[in-house]
Amino acid sequence: MLELDNIHTYYGHIHALKGITMSVPEGEIVALIGGNGAGKTTTLRTVSGMLKPREGRLTLRGKDIAGIPAHDIMHLGMSHVPEGRRIFPQLTVRENLEVGAYTVSSRKIIEERIQEGFKLFPRLKEREHQLGGTMSGGEQQMLAIARALMVDPKLLLLDEPSMGLSPLFVEAIFDIVVMLNKERGTTILLVEQNAQMALSVAKSAYVLQTGEIKLSGNAADIANDDTVKKAYLGED
């Protein structure tokens, strides 16, 4: 589905990604874990076209997408749920969902997908006409995911979906992530500081440190790696 080959991304003169090479197979959940400042969000921003890599090859289903603007990449079947949710606080739940479908021309399809989102997240249906900014963090995260699904993506990029949420909401969000993958076949690249949760749902994983991949492989094996346990799972 997605291939990154020797990707180098910069913020001005700051070398943020230093030769990232990774693969996201179709139909899988792939976790990208690491500490603050490791380059996880930068990786997703590069994949979704928000940042342009200075070097390397980036392909989506074999098509080179390096340098293609984010709004054009979305047409290729990718959606990005950014860190911090980034919903429109002054729009209602329904209006946020409609904005997420701005590339969909059929009113019938838009309404069908809104109803699918309400079925997936019943709480959103209850708050259909409520302003997004007045909802809890967990509800806003549900809205951000539902909005991203309005274009029926084949690849979903999730950036820190559990950040700032209560344990109950974290569990609910990850249940949805697993369901999207198993029942809809959505391929998911998951960036998550809650490494234990991320590794429990992913098939494969990459450990990122200061812009470089330090470890990769089967998620279960990485979860059992002593270095990972000590650094990211809070185990001695």
Side-chain angles (χ1 to χ4, degrees), residues 5-215:
D5 182 18
N6 192 36
I7 291 292
H8 292 259
T9 299
Y10 288 74
Y11 289 102
H13 295 297
I14 299 172
H15 196 176
L17 299 183
K18 305 166 185 174
I20 296 290
T21 295
M22 60 183 292
S23 174
V24 181
E26 187 164 358
E28 289 189 13
I29 299 176
V30 176
L32 182 59
I33 66 172
N36 287 329
K40 305 186 301 297
T41 291
T42 301
T43 299
L44 292 197
R45 287 177 176 170
T46 301
V47 169
S48 67
M50 296 171 69
L51 293 172
K52 183 178 179 180
R54 198 173 292 183
E55 186 182 330
R57 183 172 169 80
L58 176 61
T59 58
L60 177 66
R61 289 181 157 178
K63 179 180 176 62
D64 190 350
I65 61 171
I68 295 180
H71 59 273
D72 288 333
I73 288 179
M74 193 175 70
H75 286 284
L76 302 176
M78 183 193 301
S79 266
H80 183 177
V81 181
E83 181 183 10
R85 301 177 276 278
R86 305 290 180 90
I87 63 160
F88 297 99
Q90 297 305 317
L91 298 183
T92 66
V93 166
R94 172 173 276 274
E95 288 167 342
N96 267 277
L97 295 176
E98 289 174 342
V99 169
Y102 80 96
T103 61
V104 183
S105 57
S106 168
R107 218 27 251 188
K108 181 174 181 289
I109 292 176
I110 292 172
E111 187 58 34
E112 286 174 352
R113 290 181 182 169
I114 287 175
Q115 295 306 320
E116 286 174 6
F118 288 160
K119 187 176 180 181
L120 201 59
F121 300 106
R123 198 176 291 242
L124 296 183
K125 174 62 178 173
E126 297 170 8
R127 288 154 174 71
E128 180 177 357
H129 302 294
Q130 185 173 331
L131 295 181
T134 65
M135 300 197 302
S136 72
E139 291 163 347
Q140 290 184 16
Q141 186 64 63
M142 290 176 176
L143 178 56
I145 294 174
R147 183 182 61 184
L149 296 175
M150 289 297 292
V151 293
D152 190 27
K154 302 298 176 277
L155 173 62
L156 183 63
L157 311 180
L158 286 174
D159 195 352
E160 302 283 8
S162 77
M163 180 180 286
L165 303 188
S166 69
L168 195 62
F169 268 119
V170 170
E171 191 172 330
I173 293 296
F174 273 90
D175 284 346
I176 292 295
V177 169
V178 171
M179 186 281 291
L180 289 172
N181 175 251
K182 287 187 176 179
E183 295 185 17
R184 296 193 181 185
T186 308
T187 305
I188 297 171
L189 177 55
L190 171 66
V191 159
E192 182 56 68
Q193 276 200 313
N194 186 336
Q196 192 166 26
M197 186 68 85
L199 294 173
S200 73
V201 301
K203 183 171 183 180
S204 57
Y206 293 82
V207 179
L208 196 57
Q209 185 178 327
T210 58
E212 298 178 90
I213 299 291
K214 293 299 183 182
L215 188 64

